[in-house]
Amino acid sequence: MHDSKRELLMRAFPVVMPSGQRYWTVLDDDLKVVDAADQWLRSLRFGRDRAELTTKAYAGGVALYLRWCAATGRARPQAGRTRRRPSR
């Protein structure tokens, strides 16, 4: 269980498949794979034939996004759609 005052530490992590092919995924605080991120990153690497380093860069970005969602209390699917208007 996470302490609500502690920042979540999502992180990018390399994966080596039995075939020897590699890609990067995102792990949560408990070192469990973040399923939605993993599915997307695997589809990029193997379904769209992107380079391993592309998944590394994207996994790092996804980990930062998920940390931001947790730190700001936003739900993942709607977080990017929430915009606040600047004060005038």
Side-chain angles (χ1 to χ4, degrees), residues 19-52:
S19 65
Q21 290 183 298
R22 297 169 52 108
Y23 76 102
W24 286 70
T25 193
V26 178
L27 302 181
D28 66 12
D29 267 0
D30 297 322
L31 301 179
K32 292 181 183 171
V33 172
V34 177
D35 288 330
D38 187 67
Q39 290 174 12
W40 181 64
L41 291 162
R42 273 188 293 126
S43 74
L44 286 174
R45 176 73 171 111
F46 304 116
R48 295 187 179 199
D49 200 30
R50 300 296 191 250
E52 175 190 345

Side-chain angles (χ1 to χ4, degrees), residues 1-2 10 15-20 23 32-33 41 48 50-51 56 60-61 63 79 82:
M1 202 64 152
H2 300 292
M10 302 286 179
V15 177
V16 180
M17 302 296 286
S19 65
Y23 76 102
K32 292 181 183 171
V33 172
L41 291 162
R48 295 187 179 199
R50 300 296 191 250
K56 180 180 181 181
T82 307

